[in-house]
Structure formats: C-alpha cells, structure tokens
C-alpha cells in the first residue's frame, strides 16, 4: 500500500457524515427534481456559507495535491476522490468544532450534508453548478454574471435559476480552477486566453468567456437525448414521418448530409438520430473539437473510433503551431488507415470544413453540422468557411468542392414564444434541400425537397428524380407524393 493510500484510513470512519454514508453519485444521476419553485433546484443549501466552502475547497485541494504528489501519481481518479472525501470530512469536523468553541452552536445534520457536498462538488465537480447539471429537467444553463442565470428546460421553457457564485470574480476563479484540473483535456483560461471550451465529466459542454466581456459569460449544454432515433423526433413533432423516412433512406444510401440551424436548435441531437440509422456493423469514426456526439459511448455500433482535437499551449513555432496541438484535419488523415465505413465530422465553424469535404469526397456518406439562418444560407456559410483556409482557396474552388460533395442540407428552426412571464422554445426540421453542381453564376443548384410551410414545418415540395431511388432504402414515396398533392391543392 502506498503512503497516500494508507492515509485514506487515517481520517477515521467515513460514515460519520451523511455524505459519506452513501456511494458517490454518478454524473448522470439527478440530485433534485424540478418542482414549482426553481429556487428549490440546488441541494437545500440556502444556509450554506459559500465563503467557508471556498476556503475549505482551497485547503482540501492543497492537502490533496500534496498527498497525490507524495504518492508519485499512482492514485487513480477514484482513489483521489476517496481521499478527497476523507479530507473534506476532516475539514468539516474541524469547522464544526470551531463554531461550537466560538459559541455559535452545533451544525444540523442537514447543514453538515449540504456543506460537505458543496465542498466535495467544488473540489471534484462543478461546485454550485453541480445540482443544476445533475437535474434531468434542465437542458441548457446560461450564465451572464454570477447572479444572472437562465435555465432552459427539456420541455422548452426558460426559467430563472439561482446564483452560481457570490461574485463575478469568484465565478472566474472557479472557471480557471475547473479548466486547469480537467483530466480529459485541460485548458488554459486567463486574460491571455479569455475563452474556454471544455468537455465536462459526464459529457456536457461548457463554453465561457471573461475579460473580453462585461461580465463572465458561461453556457453549459447538457446532452439529454442520447439514445435518440428519427422516430423519437417524429414523436416530439420535430419532423413528419414522411421527412423521417426520406432522411432514413438518405443515410442508408450513403448520401452526405449537412445539418444546419441556429445555436441550440438541436443539430447534434438530429445527427445522433441520423447516425442511429447506420448499420451497427459499420465502422464509424467521429471528429470533433469537443466530444458532443458520444457515439463511442452509446453502444449502438460495434466499432466507433472517436477523435477529439486538442489545442496547443505556449508560443507558436515556425510552422505556426503550438506545442501539443492536434487538429481535426490531422485526425482525419490518420483515420484513413482504420478501415472505416463512415466518417462523421462534427461542427463546422471554419477551416475544419476541409476535413468535412475530404470525408465526403471518400463517398462514405458523411454527416456534419454548421450554423446558418436557412438552408441556402448554409451553402454560402460553408463557402466562406472553406475560403478561410487561405488565399489559395478561391470562391470558385470552394463552391465546386461543396456542390460536388454535399448532397443534402437539413435546416432546423427554433422559435421562442413568450407569455405569462415565461418563454418556450420549439425546434423543428424546416427544410431539406438537395444540393448539386450548377451552371449558373453561383456554381450550384438547390432544390427544396421539403420546404417550410406557414407554421414552419417541413412539407414536401420538389423531389429530384435521382432521389426516387431512395424507395429501395425505405423512403415512403407514396406518402411524399400524397402530401405533395395536398400542398398543391391548398
């Protein structure tokens, strides 16, 4: 047994506090349910002294670092958390003793539990954000300053949330700590590096900015719909069964698809549903800046190779790269030796579009996402992204490449309605556009296979002849033509 491991038993009976009398929570298990009062979302911690929690977290972190260092890094994460629990227990008991000695009275069991959980969450998890991330009724957390928190619920409602720190500086300090301690992909967050993109334990994605914004801004996206199918989305009124049959057949026929829409419109969810139509025996590779698809964790496919880009650190070398940098393009080049059936490139925001094009040129039936206001605008956006690679990429080259590789663009809409002091968001598939090389000045031709009707729902419009063959892959052509006729007669 190592020196640090033996110290695990030196803190006494871990069952002395309620927190340690139970197994540790998993990242996916909820700690609270969403009731009528949003203020009740966190643990019952209204009386928790958050300044004390911050102080105890710092002391626990220092003790834990010393013990882990003395063990020469032999403790794995689980062992470190067990050691951290014992340290927190010791510190909590010391704090309670100090309060009693000062005449403040003993802590109630509820306060012991709340404070111990808060310190542990601050040390190993997301601090005051943890109860929100654990709550399965919350999909997105939007923070603009420590006390301005908006929660987007899975039913589309937007409600106010509780403060996540006592000051903006405390929030920034915690984000710096969170970024530096990440074991999956540590990042720098400072005045020199004022933006942070981080994959959290459990799969959520955090984006943050400070110093270049009036107040620290944070968005945490939780991925609720993981094991999702097109039929599930039909049941949620995100698209019609006819549109679902078309997309299902397009995936099976290995057409390359780009899913576009606004931020938070459900692009990643739809890509997961599209990937669910890929045969389980096909070897898949995913390429992302931060893991969001999580196909490698869903056990739906036998073989999934998942690549995640890695930012470099320090000054750039003569080649313009930072030490340790690993790009999506490099991952894609490596992947061609992995005997793959499908290559799925995640979100396209800039030069990574060339990885998407390379994947689609291989004819594997790739799927990607991008941000755009409508389907045709998505094409223009992708052309712009391609031209960011450098002056050698002309508009004509970018256009011809995209027109020759992208088959379909699926546009998602997100509508926010307000009323009765609350807001609600509705997400739908609004357009499905077929893209092909064109002789016009723009260099490409678009056909609305499905267009948005007055209510924003995708309805049949014009079906190019080559897509009629999708019937052999399950496309319900009869339902399409019937609905198309109905739209004409209106």
């Amino acid at each position: 047994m190592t020196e640090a491991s033996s110290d695990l038993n030196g803190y006494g009976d871990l069952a002395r506090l309620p927190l340690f009398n139970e197994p540790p929570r998993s990242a996916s298990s909820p700690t609270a349910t969403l009731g009528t009062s949003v203020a009740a979302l966190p643990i019952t911690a209204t009386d928790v002294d958050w300044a004390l929690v911050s102080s105890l977290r710092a002391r626990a972190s220092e003790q834990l670092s010393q013990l882990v260092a003395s063990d020469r890094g032999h403790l794995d994460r689980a062992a470190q958390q067990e050691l951290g629990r014992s340290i927190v227990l010791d510190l909590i008991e010391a704090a309670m003793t100090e309060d009693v000695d000062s005449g403040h009275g003993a802590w109630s069991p509820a306060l012991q539990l709340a404070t111990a959980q808060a310190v542990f969450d601050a040390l190993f998890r997301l601090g005051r954000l943890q109860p929100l991330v654990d709550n399965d009724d919350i999909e997105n957390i939007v923070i603009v300053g420590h006390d301005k928190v908006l929660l987007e619920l899975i039913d589309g409602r937007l409600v106010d949330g509780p403060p996540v720190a006592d000051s903006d500086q405390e929030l920034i300090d915690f984000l710096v700590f969170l970024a530096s301690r990440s074991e999956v992909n540590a990042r720098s967050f400072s005045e020199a590096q004022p933006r942070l993109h981080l994959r959290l334990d459990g799969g959520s994605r955090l984006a943050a900015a400070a110093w270049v914004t009036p107040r620290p801004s944070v968005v945490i996206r939780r991925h609720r719909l993981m094991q999702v199918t097109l039929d599930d989305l039909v049941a949620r009124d995100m698209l019609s069964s006819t549109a679902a049959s078309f997309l299902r057949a397009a995936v099976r026929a290995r057409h390359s698809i780009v899913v576009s829409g606004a931020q938070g419109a459900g692009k990643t969810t739809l890509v997961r549903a599209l990937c669910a139509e890929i045969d389980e025996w096909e070897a898949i590779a995913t390429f992302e800046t931060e893991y969001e698809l999580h196909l490698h964790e869903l056990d739906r496919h036998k073989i999934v190779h998942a690549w995640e880009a890695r930012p470099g650190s320090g000054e750039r070398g003569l080649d313009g790269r930072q030490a340790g940098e690993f790009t999506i393009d490099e991952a894609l080049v490596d992947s061609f030796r992995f005997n793959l059936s499908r290559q799925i490139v995640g979100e396209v925001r800039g030069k990574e579009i060339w990885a998407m094009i390379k994947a689609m040129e291989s004819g594997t039936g790739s799927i990607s996402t991008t941000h755009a206001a409508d389907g045709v605008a998505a094409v223009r956006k992708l052309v712009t992204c391609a031209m960011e690679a450098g002056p050698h990429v002309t508009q004509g080259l970018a256009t011809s490449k995209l027109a020759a590789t992208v088959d379909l663009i699926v546009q998602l809409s997100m509508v926010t309605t307000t009323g009765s002091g609350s807001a609600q968001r509705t997400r739908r598939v609004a357009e499905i556009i077929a893209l092909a090389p064109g002789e016009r000045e723009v260099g490409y031709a678009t056909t609305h296979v499905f267009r948005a009707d007055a209510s924003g729902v995708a309805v049949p419009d014009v079906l190019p002849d080559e897509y009629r063959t999708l019937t052999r892959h399950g496309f319900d052509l009869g339902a399409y033509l019937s609905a198309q006729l109905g739209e004409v007669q209106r």
Side-chain angles (χ1 to χ4, degrees), residues 187-200:
R187 310 285 170 108
S188 173
F189 189 52
S190 63
E191 289 191 60
Q193 298 285 343
R195 60 183 180 179
L196 175 64
H197 297 277
L198 195 65
R199 172 170 53 90
L200 304 175

Side-chain angles (χ1 to χ4, degrees), residues 375-453:
V376 175
V379 182
R380 298 194 295 267
K381 162 74 177 299
L382 294 174
V383 170
T384 301
C385 290
M387 294 175 65
E388 290 178 2
H392 62 287
V393 180
T394 64
Q395 182 175 356
L397 174 62
T399 299
S400 64
K401 284 285 189 181
L402 288 168
T405 53
V406 178
D407 297 313
L408 296 169
I409 296 174
V410 183
Q411 178 68 27
L412 299 180
S413 67
M414 181 175 65
V415 178
T416 302
T417 56
T418 59
S420 303
S422 64
Q424 186 160 358
R425 287 177 173 169
T426 303
R427 299 171 174 87
R428 289 194 175 102
V429 172
E431 301 174 289
I432 301 178
I433 294 176
L435 183 66
E439 297 179 357
R440 296 182 301 171
E441 182 178 344
V442 294
Y444 57 85
T446 57
T447 304
H448 279 76
V449 183
F450 290 79
R451 61 170 176 81
D453 66 5

Side-chain angles (χ1 to χ4, degrees), residues 8 75 146 167 276 300 306 311 360 369 376:
L8 279 170
L75 288 177
H146 74 282
S167 68
R300 189 184 293 274
M360 291 183 174
T369 71
V376 175

Side-chain angles (χ1 to χ4, degrees), residues 118-430:
V119 175
F120 183 80
D121 284 347
L123 184 63
F124 288 106
R125 301 163 92 189
L126 297 176
R128 291 167 73 169
L129 286 166
Q130 192 64 50
L132 302 179
V133 173
D134 281 342
N135 193 301
D136 283 333
D137 288 309
I138 299 174
E139 184 168 357
N140 294 316
I141 304 166
V142 182
I143 302 166
V144 185
H146 74 282
D147 56 353
K148 189 175 181 181
V149 180
L150 191 66
L151 308 177
E152 183 178 357
L153 310 184
I154 58 174
D155 63 5
R157 286 184 296 140
L158 300 171
V159 297
D160 291 326
V164 294
D166 287 339
S167 68
D168 284 0
Q169 186 58 51
E170 181 183 308
L171 175 58
I172 291 175
D173 290 343
F174 182 73
L175 290 171
V176 171
F177 171 75
L178 183 66
S180 64
R181 71 135 195 241
S182 173
E183 292 188 357
V184 293
N185 211 340
R187 310 285 170 108
S188 173
F189 189 52
S190 63
E191 289 191 60
Q193 298 285 343
R195 60 183 180 179
L196 175 64
H197 297 277
L198 195 65
R199 172 170 53 90
L200 304 175
D201 294 338
S204 297
R205 187 184 76 174
L206 179 147
W211 299 284
V212 292
T213 55
R215 304 186 69 183
S217 298
V218 184
V219 173
I220 296 177
R221 293 189 58 191
R222 297 191 63 205
H223 300 290
R224 292 301 180 209
L225 297 176
M226 300 294 283
Q227 295 282 7
V228 64
T229 66
L230 288 173
D231 288 337
D232 293 331
L233 300 184
V234 170
R236 290 172 173 267
D237 293 325
M238 191 170 177
L239 74 166
S240 68
S241 58
T242 304
S245 78
F246 178 82
L247 292 177
R248 179 180 296 111
V251 171
R252 294 175 179 177
R254 295 182 173 274
H255 286 294
S256 290
I257 300 172
V258 172
V259 178
S260 64
Q263 297 181 33
K267 297 185 294 297
T268 302
T269 298
L270 179 56
V271 171
R272 285 197 202 101
L274 294 174
C275 290
E277 300 301 331
I278 300 174
D279 187 271
E280 66 174 336
W281 290 100
E282 289 193 42
I284 299 174
T286 61
F287 308 87
E288 302 177 272
T289 52
E290 294 92 24
Y291 289 135
E292 289 190 87
L293 293 173
H294 299 287
L295 299 188
H296 57 293
E297 298 174 349
L298 300 183
D299 294 327
R300 189 184 293 274
H301 299 94
K302 302 294 185 182
I303 302 174
V304 180
H305 300 286
W307 274 270
E308 184 180 47
R310 184 176 63 195
S313 61
E315 296 184 1
R316 297 188 180 275
L318 296 177
D319 59 356
R321 294 165 56 86
Q322 292 180 304
E325 182 180 3
F326 183 71
T327 67
I328 289 179
D329 195 61
E330 289 175 312
L332 187 77
V333 171
D334 289 346
S335 75
F336 283 103
R337 295 182 179 272
F338 280 70
N339 196 28
L340 299 171
S341 177
R342 303 266 186 167
Q343 293 166 306
I344 310 297
V345 179
E347 186 177 354
V348 173
R349 290 173 290 184
K351 292 185 292 185
E352 61 270 356
I353 188 175
W354 286 104
M356 182 198 83
I357 289 174
K358 290 176 184 177
M360 291 183 174
E361 281 182 326
S362 66
T364 61
S366 184
I367 305 172
S368 297
T369 71
T370 195
H371 296 95
D374 58 64
V376 175
V379 182
R380 298 194 295 267
K381 162 74 177 299
L382 294 174
V383 170
T384 301
C385 290
M387 294 175 65
E388 290 178 2
H392 62 287
V393 180
T394 64
Q395 182 175 356
L397 174 62
T399 299
S400 64
K401 284 285 189 181
L402 288 168
T405 53
V406 178
D407 297 313
L408 296 169
I409 296 174
V410 183
Q411 178 68 27
L412 299 180
S413 67
M414 181 175 65
V415 178
T416 302
T417 56
T418 59
S420 303
S422 64
Q424 186 160 358
R425 287 177 173 169
T426 303
R427 299 171 174 87
R428 289 194 175 102
V429 172

Side-chain angles (χ1 to χ4, degrees), residues 63-107:
Q63 291 185 35
L64 181 63
S65 297
Q66 292 174 354
L67 290 171
V68 170
S70 68
D71 193 61
R72 302 179 185 274
H74 294 160
L75 288 177
D76 60 17
R77 182 171 178 80
Q80 289 183 33
Q81 289 194 4
E82 287 303 315
L83 182 55
R85 282 186 173 85
S86 62
I87 292 172
V88 171
L89 170 62
D90 203 37
L91 292 174
I92 291 290
E93 289 197 331
M96 289 191 297
T97 300
E98 289 178 8
D99 264 12
V100 171
D101 291 344
S102 301
H104 296 301
W107 295 13

